[in-house]
Amino acid sequence: MSALGKVVRAGVGRRRAQTVVMTLTVLLAVTSSVLAASLLVGSQAPFDHAFARQRGAHLTAMFDGTGTTATQLAGTAHLPGVTAAAGPYRAVSLHPTLGGNARDIPVGLNLPVATVVGRPGGAPVDDLDLTAGHWATGPGQIVWDADRTPFRVGDRVTFPDVPGSPTLTVVGLARSVGGSADAWVPPAQVAALTEPGSAPEYQMLYRFAAAGTDAQVSAARASVVAAVPAGSMVSAESYLRAKRAADRAAATFAPFIVALGALGVGMSILIIGIVVGGTVGAATRRIGILKSLGFTPAQVVRAYVAQALIPAAVGTAFGVVLGDLLAVPLLHTEGSAYGTSALAVAPWIDVVVPIATMSVVAATALAPALRAGRLRTVEAIAVGRTPRAGRGRGHERGINLGINRGLHGLLGRLPLPRVVSLGLANPFARPARSATVAAAVALGAVGVTFGVGLAASLTGIDQGLNRESPGQVIVRTLSGREQSRAADPDAVAAALAGQPGTRRYFSTGQAQVGVAGLAGPTTVNAYRGDSSWGSYQMISGSWFTGPGQAVVPTGFLTLTGTHIGDTVTMTNNGHTARVRIVGEALSLSNEGQQILTDAATLSGLGARVLPESVRFDVDLTGGTDPKSYVDSLNAALRPLGALAEPASTGPSGTVIAMDSLAAALTLMLVAVAGLGVLNTVLLDTRDRVHDLGVFKALGMTPRQTIAMVVTSVAGVGLLAGVAGVPVGIALHHIVMPAMGRAAGTRFPAADLAVYHLPVVCALALGGLVIAVAGALLPADWAARARTAETLRTE
Amino acid sequence: MAAPLIQIHEVRKEYDDGPPALAGLTLEVRAGEALAVLGPSGSGKSTLLNLVAGLDRPSEGTVTVDGLRVDELSESASARYRRSRIGMIFQFFNLLDDLTVADNVLLPAQLAGASRQQARRRAADLLEFLGIDRFADTFPGRLSGGQRQRVAVARALMNRPALLLADEPTGALDTASGQDVGRLLTELNQDGQTILLVTHDTALADSCATRTIELIDGAIVRDVRAGGDVRAGRNVRAGSDIQAGSAVRSGGDVQAGAGR
């Protein structure tokens, strides 16, 4: 082995602690970079990516099963402009009811009409992603749409309209990016699901050469219509509608993903710089010895860059693997949040991140190696040796020493234990190193502050949105399909009033009205009874207190250009009613085109409340068990045709997804920051090992040694934490409103003002915690170091 | 005769697979003695000093100082022992450059949790006694070697130690400064301070030690008391060139026998 090779090998092998720290740092940095970059890439047009991967259908067309033939439809695949087609598949529209399930959902509950298609999973167009279970291959099996399902794998579903009320088992959940159907069965199963006297429809899935705009999709649709018998196309759904909805969801999540992702990548680069630069910088004396032995500056530089690259390469390799593995659940979560299929790590990320990491390592190693290589040999050897004062290596060092001495004097006079004042003064001895620790801790504090605020705000917003179901129990007036009419609301109210455990309740029903200045119908939520206890979370203004007053979501105000205090005119079949806006509520329903008001407001309008939309929200008296209340109430409601069910109170899947993303990235940031501190304190402790020996020879106990080393970064950590918190808060205050804008709403001030004093104080201490946690290991090493050996160290 | 302050019994110290640094050494040092330990490099001088200071532990045997079994102390107890019962001075002074002379001297008292006022008074007295009080607010880097070593002595005496350990205290000094430090150690010993001095410098040993031992390969090959006897160590090997030389003061009474 060449002399250079031996030096490199010895450098990597002998400094085991530093080699391990560097490997770990690079590993974590690469892992978080792969994750952050994947999330960032995933946030860029997630629908488009998923659509391309699934070869999603630009047009999902349904054809009358009697007006056209499979052969005719197969022929449409060869029309000009059609690049790919799948089908024809047999399809039926059915009313499913919930069968046996492992949860607490009542058997027999009616579900919305579902389009069930008989087809294989894999196809040249709309190649479905199976998210759970397996594909339906045999009789009695069905796969349900993963995003529009009350089912879990193993649940049963019954189709009471079909003779024999067949019951199928949900064997899998799948996702069609274009939403081509609600459920899929093997083709042979369709016949058993067809009502007597009816013919199943046909489904065709098309991809077109040009489908970027509504006009292009319409033109392509027209060419298909022209190729089949007139009137045989029953419906056709453009992918653009699903794309717009998904893009909107993506736009809502993008600000926070971008913020956390950018923090992750920035942190990785900073920490690699700190660790590698610090490690090479600390080896200056060894470099001096090598030069005195005849190593050229170029050889020295090569040796130290190689010494940094070896552990970095190991860390990078493991980091990519770990990043790819961790990305699987994280990207799945992100995909769920966007409402698209699970995302995958882009292959180029696994190439670019390692190359970028190794380049950063090489560059950060190069700078101190070059500096050490250029240093005069005698100076390099003198570095770290004592005594060193009085003959400083230049003006800057002289200034640092002066400042340091002044601080020692100042801190020494404070009523603090001497070990604490010695530790507190230490950062000023190496201001550059302290600055890097501060930067690492501050970035960690920014990440934690942002993550905590984000989670708190999202929880608040989610609870605000859950105010749409304020009670513990919901009663729906249309309980079963055999029920031709909705239950009488007055009878339901009477049943509720007579039910022990009922504390209070109100009912809502929806009506469609016109609003002056708005295109299309607007949904009115008409309230009966005292709804003040179940008001939505207000953004501004107050809940309505009587007829003629209305509360609207932000979207309504934006669409109509109105403000609180303004009056809007509702129209219905020539009747008009004026309503004054008294409050702005948090709601994302109906894209914000919604009015919440007392039912009496509609009396002069002649607008009919849709019977099937009427529901009661019920608040129970304290100590009432919702489940037994529901069971008991259902006994009374069943003859009326109404059904009670417990209101869902858990956080939404979206909030869980965002919280878990934020938690994962924040933890990563904290771990990387802690490693940065660990490495810096390790280097510092090594540099000061002789001084530590002197302290110990003078009687410093192991505990005092740990206290001094920990204190040496505690002050910097505390200050950096305090500095990072306002930045994190500012980031939160930028990102949250941006997310709101993308979702088309403002957020209540209470949901944004989540940084209460105790939280801020705790967050400000977060920097201290990161610094102390990072310093504990090297402090322990310093306490254990044998005094006799450290005294010999120069 | 005063009671032994240091009792080293059958101490053996081995590092890895090499020959023992100390090979079953037994030694007693009485309070008020100034013992100089001479010997070539690798003879075990520094190991002996480290064991007495509680900086290291013997592989075998016992080390008792001021009635305390130093070889049995935990790390914390060992630190408390150093801070309360011994003071150390080193070849390269080991002063902390970032602290003033006064702060360096105060350090052992501060680590021991002494009252600020008492510690300052004691430091001022010591600096005055050692003739360096005008440098109290100066940083060590601005002092000469001799002055630095005086600061180190002041620091070592801060907690009124029963034993002063000096490891080559003149090794980094010019002749005049070395003689100055020698005189200082002599004065301290005459005031009753027990001193264990490890040195290569026979002149220093001559000038301030009341007793001198010489180590070779971890064993005492000569033990000379000023104005008293000379005893050859039991491990003296055939052919060893042992000379009383300057280490033996005039009137020394040479006795053969066991060195214990």
Side-chain angles (χ1 to χ4, degrees):
Chain A
M1 187 182 278
S2 70
L4 193 68
K6 278 185 180 164
V7 165
V8 171
R9 205 176 118 183
V12 172
R14 288 286 298 160
R15 299 234 155 196
R16 253 169 277 160
Q18 247 152 36
T19 303
V20 167
V21 169
M22 198 186 290
T23 309
L24 269 179
T25 304
V26 173
L27 186 152
L28 267 185
V30 168
T31 302
S32 59
S33 292
V34 167
L35 289 179
S38 299
L39 290 174
L40 286 177
V41 169
S43 71
Q44 306 302 309
F47 180 89
D48 295 349
H49 286 124
F51 193 77
R53 197 162 43 78
Q54 273 194 5
R55 298 185 299 281
H58 291 135
L59 191 73
T60 300
M62 304 299 286
F63 298 90
D64 184 349
T66 53
T68 184
T69 64
T71 315
Q72 283 173 326
L73 291 174
T76 59
H78 308 294
L79 288 171
V82 175
T83 55
Y89 303 130
R90 286 292 195 174
V92 285
S93 288
L94 298 170
H95 277 105
T97 61
L98 196 62
N101 61 84
R103 283 153 296 151
D104 215 10
I105 306 177
V107 172
L109 184 71
N110 259 331
L111 300 170
V113 173
T115 301
V116 182
V117 173
R119 57 165 278 193
V125 178
D126 195 32
D127 190 13
L128 301 173
D129 282 336
L130 199 66
T131 61
H134 61 85
W135 189 251
T137 51
Q141 297 183 350
I142 189 166
V143 170
W144 215 271
D145 184 301
D147 295 324
R148 288 177 285 185
T149 181
F151 299 112
R152 290 183 189 165
V153 172
D155 287 357
R156 315 262 287 164
V157 56
T158 303
F159 297 99
D161 297 345
V162 182
S165 295
T167 296
L168 307 187
T169 303
V170 177
V171 295
L173 300 176
R175 188 173 276 139
S176 159
V177 69
S180 62
D182 298 297
W184 299 272
V185 292
Q189 184 82 43
V190 177
L193 294 175
T194 307
E195 291 183 47
S198 67
E201 294 177 334
Y202 283 115
Q203 183 184 66
M204 280 295 293
L205 305 166
Y206 298 100
R207 284 181 67 84
F208 303 122
T213 63
D214 285 325
Q216 285 173 329
V217 176
S218 292
R221 176 178 177 272
S223 71
V224 174
V225 169
V228 295
S232 62
M233 184 187 277
V234 182
S235 67
E237 178 90 17
S238 163
Y239 79 105
L240 287 170
R241 198 175 133 193
K243 174 178 158 55
R244 285 189 195 105
D247 286 351
R248 189 178 184 83
T252 307
F253 289 91
F256 114 89
I257 296 282
V258 168
L260 273 179
L263 268 177
V265 172
M267 185 72 148
S268 303
I269 294 172
L270 175 78
I271 297 299
I272 288 175
I274 290 174
V275 171
V276 177
T279 307
V280 178
T284 304
R285 182 158 180 261
R286 188 166 179 263
I287 288 172
I289 294 170
L290 293 178
K291 287 178 75 180
S292 74
L293 295 175
F295 275 74
T296 65
Q299 281 178 314
V300 164
V301 170
R302 279 212 301 280
Y304 275 84
V305 171
Q307 233 163 277
L309 284 177
I310 289 171
V314 176
T316 301
F318 283 107
V320 167
V321 174
L322 190 63
D324 282 3
L325 288 178
L326 286 178
V328 172
L330 219 56
L331 289 176
H332 178 79
T333 306
E334 191 188 23
S336 306
Y338 290 150
T340 59
S341 298
L343 306 162
V345 176
W348 64 264
I349 290 176
D350 285 348
V351 177
V352 169
V353 168
I355 290 174
T357 304
M358 297 303 276
S359 305
V360 170
V361 171
T364 47
L366 197 61
L370 276 174
R371 200 166 57 236
R374 278 201 298 264
L375 204 63
R376 288 195 326 180
T377 306
V378 65
E379 285 180 327
I381 290 178
V383 170
R385 297 185 67 175
T386 53
R388 58 189 177 207
R391 297 183 301 277
R393 284 187 295 115
H395 180 65
E396 192 184 343
R397 189 193 156 112
I399 291 172
N400 289 343
L401 200 58
I403 294 170
N404 194 30
R405 285 169 169 178
L407 270 155
H408 264 301
L410 193 69
L411 289 166
R413 275 183 270 283
L414 291 176
L416 294 169
R418 192 63 177 125
V419 287
V420 173
S421 62
L422 284 169
L424 286 176
N426 187 56
F428 300 95
R430 290 180 177 274
R433 196 174 273 180
S434 303
T436 54
V437 168
V441 173
L443 266 184
V446 169
V448 173
T449 304
F450 177 59
V452 166
L454 188 79
S457 286
L458 288 177
T459 303
I461 290 164
D462 193 50
Q463 283 169 354
L465 291 172
N466 278 342
R467 298 287 293 172
E468 292 176 13
S469 300
Q472 293 102 305
V473 173
I474 295 169
V475 178
R476 299 182 197 280
T477 53
L478 196 68
S479 72
R481 183 160 165 69
E482 63 279 7
Q483 194 75 22
S484 55
R485 289 191 313 118
D488 174 15
D490 291 337
V492 172
L496 278 173
Q499 180 68 30
T502 303
R503 182 179 175 206
R504 52 195 175 179
Y505 61 90
F506 62 82
S507 72
T508 55
Q510 293 185 344
Q512 303 289 321
V513 300
V515 170
L518 274 186
T522 296
T523 303
V524 176
N525 264 27
Y527 286 74
R528 284 185 193 279
D530 175 19
S531 62
S532 59
W533 62 271
S535 67
Y536 281 31
Q537 191 180 12
M538 303 304 294
I539 296 169
S540 59
S542 57
W543 191 245
F544 61 84
T545 53
Q549 296 180 355
V551 169
V552 295
T554 309
F556 183 92
L557 296 175
T558 311
L559 287 170
T560 54
T562 51
H563 301 92
I564 290 176
D566 289 353
T567 300
V568 292
T569 303
M570 297 187 291
T571 59
N572 183 52
N573 291 331
H575 302 286
T576 60
R578 288 165 66 76
V579 65
R580 191 165 61 84
I581 299 170
V582 295
E584 177 187 0
L586 176 66
S587 172
L588 296 172
S589 301
N590 302 310
E591 301 276 302
Q593 198 165 343
Q594 188 185 22
I595 294 173
L596 313 171
T597 185
D598 192 285
T601 307
L602 301 179
S603 55
L605 207 54
R608 180 172 160 269
V609 168
L610 303 169
E612 64 272 21
S613 72
V614 174
R615 61 177 248 184
F616 288 78
D617 287 283
V618 188
D619 191 27
L620 306 183
T621 53
T624 305
D625 173 38
K627 187 176 180 309
S628 28
Y629 176 88
V630 164
D631 290 344
S632 163
L633 181 62
N634 273 335
L637 291 179
R638 201 159 289 128
L640 305 174
L643 183 80
E645 59 189 3
S648 142
T649 50
S652 73
T654 307
V655 167
I656 292 171
M658 292 180 78
D659 279 355
S660 52
L661 285 180
L665 278 173
T666 306
L667 270 180
M668 206 68 116
L669 281 176
V670 170
V672 173
L675 266 183
V677 174
L678 186 146
N679 183 70
T680 310
V681 178
L682 194 67
L683 291 176
D684 204 46
T685 309
R686 284 250 162 91
D687 283 357
R688 301 179 59 231
V689 68
H690 184 263
D691 282 359
L692 284 169
V694 174
F695 283 126
K696 292 169 89 174
L698 294 176
M700 185 176 275
T701 61
R703 194 174 290 181
Q704 285 176 316
T705 310
I706 290 176
M708 185 174 72
V709 174
V710 168
T711 316
S712 71
V713 287
V716 173
L718 184 63
L719 287 177
V722 169
V725 169
V727 179
I729 293 175
L731 190 63
H732 174 268
H733 286 357
I734 292 169
V735 169
M736 286 306 299
M739 290 171 71
R741 276 194 298 280
T745 183
R746 292 200 301 150
F747 291 132
D751 293 338
L752 298 181
V754 290
Y755 294 105
H756 306 298
L757 191 62
V759 176
V760 171
C761 291
L763 288 171
L765 290 176
L768 182 68
V769 173
I770 294 173
V772 170
L776 273 178
L777 217 60
D780 186 58
W781 176 81
R784 286 168 188 272
R786 290 155 58 102
T787 313
E789 282 178 16
T790 54
L791 278 173
R792 280 201 294 274
T793 310
E794 286 179 20
Chain B
M1 185 177 280
L5 183 70
I6 305 173
Q7 291 172 291
I8 296 169
H9 182 67
E10 293 284 0
V11 162
R12 190 175 173 83
K13 179 65 186 177
E14 288 164 357
Y15 297 107
D16 301 327
D17 297 330
L22 292 177
L25 186 136
T26 295
L27 174 72
E28 283 188 353
V29 180
R30 301 194 174 278
E33 272 191 315
L35 174 72
V37 182
L38 290 172
S41 290
S43 61
K45 301 190 301 292
S46 293
T47 301
L48 174 63
L49 188 104
N50 287 340
L51 293 180
V52 173
L55 298 176
D56 210 344
R57 289 184 183 208
S59 310
E60 290 172 23
T62 62
V63 178
T64 308
V65 177
D66 203 12
L68 198 66
R69 277 286 296 275
V70 178
D71 55 290
E72 290 181 333
L73 297 177
S74 67
E75 274 295 308
S76 298
S78 174
R80 284 193 290 275
Y81 154 73
R82 280 195 293 278
R83 124 195 341 164
S84 61
R85 302 196 192 200
I86 64 169
M88 291 185 79
I89 53 178
F90 306 88
Q91 178 177 3
F92 291 106
F93 328 122
N94 283 341
L95 298 174
L96 298 162
D97 301 328
D98 300 336
L99 303 183
T100 62
V101 164
D103 283 338
N104 263 287
V105 174
L106 279 168
L107 208 51
Q110 290 172 321
L111 288 175
S115 92
R116 184 171 290 243
Q117 208 174 0
Q118 279 180 343
R120 288 199 175 280
R121 200 176 307 131
R122 167 80 176 153
D125 289 348
L126 279 171
L127 292 175
E128 189 183 351
F129 168 67
L130 293 166
I132 46 173
D133 49 333
R134 65 186 185 282
F135 301 124
D137 294 326
T138 307
F139 289 94
R142 304 207 176 276
L143 304 183
S144 70
Q147 289 165 335
R148 286 189 213 184
Q149 199 58 293
R150 280 184 172 260
V151 176
V153 170
R155 185 177 67 181
L157 296 176
M158 188 64 194
N159 288 345
R160 303 177 198 276
L163 175 64
L164 182 64
L165 301 175
D167 187 5
E168 302 282 6
T170 59
L173 299 177
D174 58 48
T175 309
S177 299
Q179 287 170 348
D180 177 50
V181 168
R183 276 192 295 274
L184 174 59
L185 293 177
T186 306
E187 283 171 30
L188 289 171
N189 180 239
Q190 283 168 353
D191 287 346
Q193 177 68 55
T194 311
I195 298 172
L196 176 59
L197 166 68
V198 167
T199 183
H200 280 99
D201 184 350
T202 50
L204 175 69
D206 279 349
S207 67
C208 64
T210 58
R211 179 184 169 197
T212 301
I213 62 171
E214 184 171 355
L215 297 183
I216 291 180
D217 293 342
I220 298 171
V221 293
R222 192 175 52 180
D223 186 342
V224 183
R225 288 184 191 281
D229 54 354
V230 175
R231 293 185 291 179
R234 65 168 178 153
N235 295 332
V236 177
R237 282 174 291 180
S240 290
D241 177 18
I242 305 169
Q243 292 179 335
S246 60
V248 183
R249 295 198 173 182
S250 56
D253 173 20
V254 179
Q255 282 184 340
R260 317 186 254 169

